[in-house]
Amino acid sequence: MNENACEMGNLRIDSPPTTLRAIALERMRRAIIAGVFKPGQRLVERTLCEQLGVSRSVIREVIRHLDAEGLVMTTGQGPVVAKLAWDDARQIYEIRAALESAAVEACARVADAGVKAELRAAVDEIERRAAERDWMAVLEATERFYDAIFTAGGHTVAGEIVRRLHGRVAQLRVLTLGSENRRVTGPRRIREICEAITANDPEAAGAACRTHIREACAIAERLLAK
Amino acid sequence: MNENACEMGNLRIDSPPTTLRAIALERMRRAIIAGVFKPGQRLVERTLCEQLGVSRSVIREVIRHLDAEGLVMTTGQGPVVAKLAWDDARQIYEIRAALESAAVEACARVADAGVKAELRAAVDEIERRAAERDWMAVLEATERFYDAIFTAGGHTVAGEIVRRLHGRVAQLRVLTLGSENRRVTGPRRIREICEAITANDPEAAGAACRTHIREACAIAERLLAK
DNA sequence: TACGGTCTTATGGTATACCATCATATAGCG
DNA sequence: CGCTATATGATGGTATACCATAAGACCGTA
């Protein structure tokens, strides 16, 4: 969107040189979400140092961050990729249903043409990536879709919380996307939400959102059971 | 409750030697919540090292944690105590209303004698501390009250989120407790919630909870306005 | 006096060093 | 052969060292 705002008098520098820490944090987070590091796996600091090419200071600070984020659990003998108990997952889906549907409804009430266009673009992206079977990309596009909704609806704090929760169930989400069913219904529900927002119909949007999450939860339960 | 579980065959050691980091984290968090460090204030690492008597490694890792927790914001030129915009506070109260009332209702449905006793003890503690005008202690006792509710209701994840949110609005909470009105109505609402749970009446409990938070939100708004 | 340049210092980012602990392997002793 | 004890390595916790940068102080010149 706003790559370089060199036009106009806007010479403002808003991105102080990115730190190694920020890069490492992003990489580690994506690695965990993508399942490169399996739940329960030990995260040996010195090993990560070599893998990322940074010092232990950086790695340790990143691990602290991920720990607070809930993606990593620090046991007595060092950091471990957090594993999700089914009951936790169920609670997370419940909370998501509450926060996301509220945001979706708010968004449907206030959405203007700009927001609608943005959402449509995100949905298109999701469907395109789904067609390519690039599931990580689908996840990221979905994230952008929700981001737009939370921002437009003015629920930025809830958006932050949900982003956190998305990360924690991401392992499952990659699994659920493995379900042939979900590959179809997921994008369909998303499109329903988008269309309800486009029609400025809060009730329909909220309902579609809750249905979407309920379905995801059901699939996750089936997958976690086995 | 369970200080030393030396009786029975339970010789389990569950607290691997506490690290400096854990201690420092707790102290810093409390300091920020108590307002020892004011919102917007720079947190100079080397200064904190002297104040806490630990090395920068520890301080930095703690700051990362608090950053992820939302209590500290890392600007381009270093860490700063997060300051709460009114709109953020409003959103937080809204989210709390949703999550806390849901948990309270769940708790009211399943509460047994043990839970009820625990809640009553917490309420007594709150009222005692309020009488002593020890507002930090009131906050902590309130935290325990909610902890018990979230645990009993099986909403542990939401409890975690709410604990986080409590921290972020704690500055305001200390302020609202400064309001003579709140000193009275706060504990009263808490008692209402407790009694509704004791009566296993989910509707009443949820309603009392929502009222409680709405009042807190209103007072916060008035205080933030000036 | 005003402007510009340089030096100093405060501060965060990054890397490294050192230590305690725990697990494992190996050797010695019965 | 088996058991114990010591050595050794792996790993996290903590402290320190070094560097780059940005902001301020100080000084000299026009």
Side-chain angles (χ1 to χ4, degrees), chain A:
Chain A
M1 195 66 64
N2 50 5
E3 297 268 304
N4 41 8
C6 293
E7 338 137 18
M8 304 202 319
N10 190 356
L11 304 181
R12 196 54 163 288
I13 296 176
D14 40 346
S15 67
T18 301
T19 64
L20 287 183
R21 200 177 63 233
I23 302 173
L25 175 60
E26 196 51 35
R27 297 247 177 122
M28 287 285 299
R29 191 188 285 125
R30 292 172 66 116
I32 292 177
I33 290 176
V36 176
F37 300 113
K38 309 293 182 194
Q41 177 178 341
R42 274 289 297 278
L43 292 174
V44 179
E45 300 177 355
R46 285 171 172 86
T47 307
L48 294 173
C49 288
E50 289 178 0
Q51 293 181 319
L52 298 197
V54 296
S55 74
R56 269 184 77 205
S57 318
V58 172
I59 293 293
R60 286 182 60 89
E61 290 182 23
V62 166
I63 288 179
R64 281 326 138 230
H65 196 108
L66 294 173
D67 183 2
E69 224 169 271
L71 250 43
V72 162
M73 247 187 48
T74 301
T75 71
Q77 37 287 349
V80 166
V81 177
K83 52 172 181 279
L84 201 59
W86 158 243
D87 189 63
D88 287 342
R90 188 188 51 73
Q91 290 182 47
I92 289 178
Y93 281 113
E94 214 171 284
I95 297 169
R96 277 184 54 192
L99 299 185
E100 290 182 20
S101 64
V104 161
E105 289 168 9
C107 180
R109 264 181 235 109
V110 305
D112 59 14
V115 173
K116 293 174 185 175
E118 193 178 351
L119 290 181
R120 264 194 301 273
V123 172
D124 289 346
E125 167 91 4
I126 291 173
E127 293 181 344
R128 198 175 330 124
R129 297 304 188 177
E132 295 169 7
R133 314 190 138 250
D134 182 350
W135 309 124
M136 266 307 279
V138 170
L139 246 51
E140 281 167 26
T142 305
E143 212 97 330
R144 276 195 293 280
F145 175 73
Y146 278 113
D147 249 14
I149 289 178
F150 280 105
T151 305
H155 288 215
T156 53
V157 176
E160 193 59 41
I161 294 173
V162 168
R163 192 201 329 277
R164 206 62 74 79
L165 295 179
H166 276 179
R168 290 183 60 182
V169 287
Q171 336 160 344
L172 296 189
R173 299 175 78 201
V174 173
L175 280 186
T176 63
L177 284 171
S179 138
E180 190 59 55
N181 227 334
R182 185 62 174 171
R183 286 177 199 157
V184 180
T185 65
R188 183 156 66 209
R189 296 298 181 199
I190 296 272
R191 179 161 283 284
E192 278 179 29
I193 296 172
C194 179
E195 280 168 3
I197 291 177
T198 301
N200 289 107
D201 182 346
E203 280 74 20
C209 178
R210 277 184 288 268
T211 302
H212 174 63
I213 294 176
R214 200 173 323 115
E215 287 173 355
C217 181
I219 295 179
E221 178 172 20
R222 215 170 308 135
L223 288 177
L224 268 191
K226 66 178 182 188

Side-chain angles (χ1 to χ4, degrees), chain B residues 89-168:
Chain B
R90 189 187 51 72
Q91 290 182 48
I92 289 177
Y93 281 113
E94 214 170 283
I95 297 169
R96 276 183 54 192
L99 299 186
E100 289 182 21
S101 64
V104 161
E105 287 166 12
C107 180
R109 262 180 237 109
V110 303
D112 59 14
V115 173
K116 293 173 185 175
E118 193 178 351
L119 291 182
R120 264 195 300 275
V123 172
D124 288 346
E125 167 91 3
I126 292 174
E127 294 181 343
R128 199 175 329 126
R129 296 304 188 179
E132 295 169 5
R133 314 190 140 250
D134 182 349
W135 309 123
M136 267 306 280
V138 169
L139 246 53
E140 281 166 27
T142 305
E143 212 97 330
R144 274 194 295 280
F145 175 74
Y146 277 112
D147 248 14
I149 289 177
F150 280 106
T151 305
H155 287 216
T156 53
V157 176
E160 194 58 40
I161 294 173
V162 169
R163 193 202 328 280
R164 207 61 74 80
L165 295 178
H166 276 179
R168 290 183 62 183

Side-chain angles (χ1 to χ4, degrees), chain B residues 19-21 46 53-58 61:
Chain B
T19 63
L20 287 183
R21 200 176 63 231
R46 284 169 172 87
V54 297
S55 75
R56 267 184 78 205
S57 318
V58 173
E61 291 182 23

